[in-house]
Amino acid sequence: HVRAAQTLLGVAADSGEVLGGCWEIVFTVLGHVRRLRKLHEAAAETTPDAAGEKDDDSYEIDAALTAEQSNARLVHRTIPEEMMDRIYQRSTLLSSRAGQDFFTFLCRVSETEIFGHVQGGTTLPPPAAKKRSPDTSSLHSLIEAVHYNMDSRPRLVFGQIWKIVSDHLARVALTADRSVSLFAVDSLRQLSINYLKKEELQEFQFQRRFLKPFTVIMKGSDDRNLRELVLRSVAQIVIVCGQGRDPTLRSGWRSVFAVLGLAAADRDAGVVALGHEILLRQVAAARARGFPHSGPLLSQYVVGLSTALVGYAGCDAEATCLHTIEQFVGLCEVLAKTLAGAQAEEPAAGGGGQSLELETWWPILLGISQRVGDDRINVRQKALHVLIDLIVKNFTDSEDQLQILQLIFRGILVPVLDNAEMEEEMDINIRSLLPLSFTTFVPSRHSSSTPTRAASSEQDWLHTTFDPFLDGCLRLSTKIMSRYGDGAMTDELLTLLNHCVLSPSDTVAVKGLHRLQAMLVDGPGARIAPKTWQAVNHMLRRCILESSPTKVVRRGSAAGDPDRLDVREAEMSRQGRPVVACAAIEVVGQVIQNKACVESMGKEMFVVLMQGLSLAIGHWEHAVEFSGGSQLRPHPLEIAFHGEKHIVHALKALVAMIEEREMSDKDSEMRSMLMGHTRSIFGTYLSKETALGENSLDDPFEEACRVAEFGHLNGLVVELLEGFNELDDTHLFMISWLYPILSDLIQTNNKAVRSAIQVLISRIFGNVLSIKQAGGTN
């Protein structure tokens, strides 16, 4: 047997190229030989006399020893360590294919020794197999063989071998006993440091692949000690290979930061703290000495570092989150200086500098923006503050940054609204969402007080972060437009506000409409381009239609009674969204009354907006007919009346816009609109007055609604008459079609209306007719 083993090992050392699958037999025999040699060495340490060596080279059995001890002594004497080491050392001479066979079957035998069987994938071995004491002899030999081949083989060839070996080491680390797992990770650390000391060629990714097993182990291990060892191994790799004037760690940074990023989501607080500590060392090193690389490697380093930091900015420990978000400020200062220096050194690079800027800044800004939607108020407020400050400080003061700023708005800021949890509360303070000029006159059927928000909702995203977020975006856009012009960020702002307006939350939609109104009326409304006005009209018209109570047709359910949630959704669809409709009507009304906005949008858009306002009024007037609207707050009658108020205010501006002397098609359309709205208001007033005097309704609530509505309509008619009276003589002369209408309206029983009509008629038959007669004389 000994001679057969000697012959087999000699063949393996000299003719390994042709062994192929027979390497499994060789390594199995080597395992038995190694076990017997260890047995002899252990016996020699405990009982030197019993394991004593004879001076001759005889193969005879010593009767004083057991068979196992005698075999061990014989193997130790006849098969020296050098004969076995020679097999591993000569593995460097094998071809690529033969080398892969060598390591494949060495890993196979190593698994058999450790687990008692060959594993399929990374599944756990049977319990019986785990109870046996694992043998790591072949595992040690495997590590030695990798060392021999690491420096002698081309990187592409060694990469194929390392794929085999690294898979085996990862399986051992994840499924073997703790001592063996720790040894596998420590072996990976030693091999990695030796490999990373070699310079990696540009555009190659060997380091990233070499360090991949650390990521696999970190992600799959349930052993805290093992995960901590992985982190400490990565930290040592960074110290040895990633620091100094000429660090050799290049593409491996990606794997390093991937491991540290995985620690951020670890369930053990100690692992999270250790990973965070290691990562912050890199931030501190960058702030002290700058980034270790430039060019394309700078992008890989910054992206990996920032991605890992983002993970800790969202971990369970709030203090760690806040500290991490603060670290972005210092990191970005270094990044800004580095990019400025790179652009100064390569001014002729063209768009390359901007591309590098986007590659490095984008993951930072995107990661912080995701934390703006965090459930914890302190985290999201800190993230919002840092995000806006970083954008303002690093992008608004530089030249030629408009395109990047527009991308930031669309790709970073707008998605914040999608990431945030904005659930509409069941009880809201309706009055707080209504316009200040909104008139409430319909009494409630029930004596319950106005609903208010529950105290539990006061800390959610909607009520703590939404307004500061929009305010920050508006401040940012104002600063940008002051540098690049009023139209620079208009489309981006409209995109942001459109997200709000179309939100299923009434509160979000109303707040978005409020910001839209401020942008148009108080902002650069007078300098908005016609194309932008078209976008505004489309946004408002869609909002009016989708908040309308007549948009959805009633349908029965063939599948039986729906559940409670579906019933509520269907009812809200049928009734519309009253507070959203009020806000949309208010925006349209304020815009068409604003002189600067009217001059900017032109006659055509003015007519379109007036038509949209009329459409909203009609929808809510019809809502009373099919639902009564008694449960809606605000009441449909109040919403329709709010729209009528804005119509009345806009009619005076409409008179001034009509060119009577050179009447165009659009002027004719505007004149018809003016006549139609005036007749409608006066006609509605007279018909309601007549109905109110002839009979009363049986339902006291409906009667109270009718009386209250007529009282406010009476004031609206007086306001319209007084508005016509405020026109100059020329414009008053142009509305001669009003005279027959006034003759009907003067029959009203209301004294205030009659007085307003008399004042207007006196002026018409005084100054205006004298102007007409003077014109006829001339």
Side-chain angles (χ1 to χ4, degrees):
H1 290 302
V2 170
R3 288 175 178 171
Q6 290 174 327
T7 303
L8 178 64
L9 298 183
V11 171
D14 297 330
S15 304
E17 185 69 28
V18 297
L19 288 182
C22 295
W23 276 114
E24 185 172 4
I25 300 174
V26 173
F27 293 130
T28 302
V29 171
L30 278 172
H32 291 308
V33 170
R34 194 179 293 107
R35 180 180 61 81
L36 290 172
R37 286 182 60 83
K38 287 183 178 180
L39 179 63
H40 174 76
E41 292 169 357
E45 292 178 359
T46 54
T47 55
D49 295 338
E53 299 276 354
K54 290 188 175 182
D55 294 334
D56 56 14
D57 293 333
S58 172
Y59 287 86
E60 66 184 58
I61 301 299
D62 191 337
L65 302 176
T66 64
E68 185 79 0
Q69 291 174 335
S70 181
N71 290 335
R73 180 179 67 83
L74 182 61
V75 167
H76 187 272
R77 189 178 64 189
T78 57
I79 304 179
E81 190 74 30
E82 292 77 11
M83 179 181 293
M84 296 187 292
D85 290 342
R86 185 166 172 260
I87 295 176
Y88 300 108
Q89 292 168 358
R90 291 178 66 85
S91 66
T92 60
L93 304 177
L94 298 176
S95 65
S96 174
R97 181 65 246 177
Q100 292 182 51
D101 291 338
F102 177 91
F103 283 97
T104 297
F105 290 103
L106 179 54
C107 291
R108 187 180 181 90
V109 172
S110 174
E111 286 193 21
T112 304
E113 292 178 350
I114 294 173
F115 300 113
H117 70 291
V118 178
Q119 294 202 124
T122 57
T123 56
L124 291 174
K130 291 195 69 174
K131 291 180 181 179
R132 63 183 297 277
S133 178
D135 184 2
T136 59
S137 300
S138 293
L139 183 60
H140 285 80
S141 300
L142 174 66
I143 303 303
E144 293 177 8
V146 172
H147 275 292
Y148 295 144
N149 285 264
M150 184 182 295
D151 297 326
S152 61
R153 290 187 181 274
R155 299 190 185 190
L156 285 173
V157 176
F158 181 74
Q160 297 170 339
I161 292 175
W162 179 246
K163 176 67 171 60
I164 300 169
V165 175
S166 63
D167 288 347
H168 171 64
L169 291 176
R171 284 195 297 271
V172 170
L174 290 174
T175 57
D177 291 343
R178 173 176 290 182
S179 60
V180 181
S181 298
L182 296 176
F183 173 75
V185 173
D186 189 64
S187 300
L188 274 172
R189 176 187 59 79
Q190 297 178 28
L191 291 172
S192 299
I193 290 175
N194 289 335
Y195 183 81
L196 293 173
K197 287 180 179 179
K198 300 165 58 177
E199 184 72 21
E200 184 180 51
L201 301 178
Q202 193 171 3
E203 305 299 334
F204 282 83
Q205 300 289 319
F206 291 122
Q207 292 184 355
R208 179 176 62 83
R209 297 170 188 167
F210 199 95
L211 297 177
K212 183 180 178 181
F214 288 108
T215 307
V216 175
I217 297 170
M218 190 69 191
K219 185 182 298 184
S221 175
D222 294 328
D223 188 341
R224 170 188 172 177
N225 294 325
L226 188 65
R227 298 196 301 275
E228 287 186 347
L229 180 60
V230 170
L231 291 175
R232 298 186 189 279
S233 299
V234 167
Q236 187 173 2
I237 290 172
V238 171
I239 293 173
V240 176
C241 306
Q243 297 179 358
R245 293 185 177 180
D246 190 20
T248 56
L249 188 59
R250 296 170 64 88
S251 67
W253 281 114
R254 185 180 300 181
S255 296
V256 168
F257 289 131
V259 171
L260 296 177
L262 287 171
D266 200 278
R267 55 189 174 276
D268 188 276
V271 175
V272 176
L274 178 59
H276 189 240
E277 177 187 349
I278 297 171
L279 191 63
L280 291 188
R281 293 177 197 165
Q282 291 304 304
V283 179
R287 298 183 67 175
R289 300 183 296 272
F291 296 119
H293 301 288
S294 59
L297 284 177
L298 171 65
S299 175
Q300 292 185 23
Y301 181 88
V302 173
V303 170
L305 176 58
S306 59
T307 302
L309 278 174
V310 167
Y312 290 95
C315 68
D316 293 335
E318 183 172 323
T320 301
C321 296
L322 297 174
H323 184 53
T324 304
I325 294 173
E326 187 65 33
Q327 293 300 309
F328 276 108
V329 178
L331 179 66
C332 291
E333 290 178 357
V334 181
L335 177 60
K337 294 178 181 178
T338 304
L339 293 175
Q343 292 176 356
E345 292 176 2
E346 301 179 6
Q354 191 176 72
S355 175
L356 179 61
E357 190 173 25
L358 277 176
E359 290 176 5
T360 51
W361 276 105
W362 196 264
I364 295 176
L365 298 178
L366 182 61
I368 300 176
S369 72
Q370 292 171 349
R371 299 275 57 83
V372 178
D374 198 280
D375 293 336
R376 295 160 291 189
I377 181 172
N378 292 330
V379 174
R380 60 176 179 259
Q381 288 182 346
K382 181 72 172 179
L384 177 60
H385 174 73
V386 170
L387 177 64
I388 298 298
D389 282 356
L390 287 178
I391 298 174
V392 171
K393 183 177 180 180
N394 295 283
F395 294 96
T396 58
D397 294 331
S398 304
E399 297 291 341
D400 301 327
Q401 295 280 9
L402 178 59
Q403 185 177 7
I404 293 181
L405 286 166
Q406 291 172 338
L407 288 174
I408 289 174
F409 240 91
R410 292 179 180 271
I412 301 294
L413 296 177
V414 172
V416 168
L417 298 174
D418 298 327
N419 296 332
E421 292 292 335
M422 294 188 295
E423 297 182 359
E424 182 67 74
E425 64 273 35
M426 295 298 295
D427 294 326
I428 61 175
N429 185 350
I430 296 174
R431 182 67 242 185
S432 67
L433 301 180
L434 295 176
L436 295 176
S437 61
F438 189 82
T439 303
T440 303
F441 54 83
V442 176
S444 175
R445 279 188 181 273
H446 308 286
S447 59
S448 59
S449 58
T450 302
T452 57
R453 293 190 185 99
S456 60
S457 68
E458 293 299 328
Q459 296 297 313
D460 63 14
W461 199 95
L462 181 59
H463 301 109
T464 60
T465 313
F466 181 78
D467 285 325
F469 169 72
L470 280 188
D471 291 339
C473 293
L474 292 175
R475 288 197 310 271
L476 176 61
S477 62
T478 300
K479 186 175 180 62
I480 296 171
M481 288 189 289
S482 66
R483 185 177 188 87
Y484 294 99
D486 293 329
M489 299 298 294
T490 303
D491 291 344
E492 283 66 32
L493 274 177
L494 288 180
T495 301
L496 178 67
L497 296 177
N498 191 51
H499 266 66
C500 300
V501 171
L502 298 181
S503 170
S505 166
D506 285 358
T507 305
V508 174
V510 170
K511 287 177 179 290
L513 288 166
H514 288 170
R515 292 307 199 287
L516 178 62
Q517 177 181 324
M519 170 186 167
L520 298 175
V521 178
D522 302 328
R527 299 177 294 276
I528 291 179
K531 182 179 179 181
T532 304
W533 279 115
Q534 293 177 1
V536 171
N537 170 66
H538 176 76
M539 184 190 308
L540 291 173
R541 181 174 286 266
R542 180 177 178 183
C543 182
I544 287 173
L545 290 175
E546 294 190 356
S547 62
S548 165
T550 57
K551 181 176 183 292
V552 178
V553 179
R554 298 184 184 184
R555 291 178 296 182
S557 176
D561 294 334
D563 55 48
R564 169 179 275 183
L565 179 61
D566 291 337
V567 169
R568 179 178 178 273
E569 290 178 347
E571 185 70 13
M572 291 301 293
S573 297
R574 183 179 62 81
Q575 293 182 346
R577 301 171 66 185
V579 291
V580 177
C582 290
I585 290 172
E586 180 70 14
V587 174
V588 177
Q590 293 294 335
V591 167
I592 60 178
Q593 294 174 53
N594 185 273
K595 184 177 180 181
C597 290
V598 172
E599 292 177 354
S600 174
M601 72 177 69
K603 297 179 179 180
E604 182 175 357
M605 188 54 59
F606 183 91
V607 171
V608 172
L609 290 175
M610 284 281 288
Q611 291 171 344
L613 190 55
S614 301
L615 181 67
I617 295 171
H619 283 164
W620 287 100
E621 286 178 342
H622 288 17
V624 182
E625 299 176 6
F626 72 81
S627 68
S630 58
Q631 301 302 320
L632 283 177
R633 283 293 179 267
H635 194 277
L637 289 176
E638 297 170 336
I639 300 173
F641 179 77
H642 186 64
E644 292 287 2
K645 285 198 302 184
H646 285 296
I647 288 289
V648 168
H649 296 157
L651 289 180
K652 293 184 294 183
L654 186 59
V655 174
M657 294 176 64
I658 299 174
E659 296 290 343
E660 290 284 349
R661 296 183 179 180
E662 298 180 1
M663 183 74 68
S664 64
D665 293 340
K666 188 56 62 178
D667 289 320
S668 299
E669 184 178 359
M670 294 170 68
R671 182 177 181 181
S672 299
M673 178 179 289
L674 175 63
M675 296 170 59
H677 279 295
T678 304
R679 288 194 178 101
S680 175
I681 292 173
F682 291 160
T684 300
Y685 174 78
L686 290 175
S687 63
K688 289 183 179 291
E689 183 184 43
T690 302
L692 195 63
E694 290 179 351
N695 55 359
S696 61
L697 300 178
D698 296 334
D699 188 346
F701 173 79
E702 296 295 341
E703 181 66 15
C705 290
R706 192 168 65 153
V707 172
E709 179 194 16
F710 180 77
H712 286 82
L713 184 59
N714 180 80
L716 201 62
V717 170
V718 172
E719 183 178 356
L720 179 56
L721 291 171
E722 292 175 348
F724 285 143
N725 193 39
E726 292 174 0
L727 295 174
D728 57 45
D729 294 341
T730 303
H731 287 104
L732 188 58
F733 172 71
M734 288 190 299
I735 58 172
S736 56
W737 48 265
L738 182 63
Y739 308 158
I741 302 176
L742 294 178
S743 64
D744 295 334
L745 187 61
I746 202 170
Q747 301 176 22
T748 178
N749 295 322
N750 187 274
K751 183 176 179 181
V753 175
R754 289 201 309 270
S755 298
I757 296 174
Q758 290 172 357
V759 172
L760 182 58
I761 291 178
S762 299
R763 186 166 168 229
I764 291 174
F765 286 96
N767 298 343
V768 177
L769 290 183
S770 63
I771 293 175
K772 182 177 180 180
Q773 292 173 357
T777 304
N778 292 336

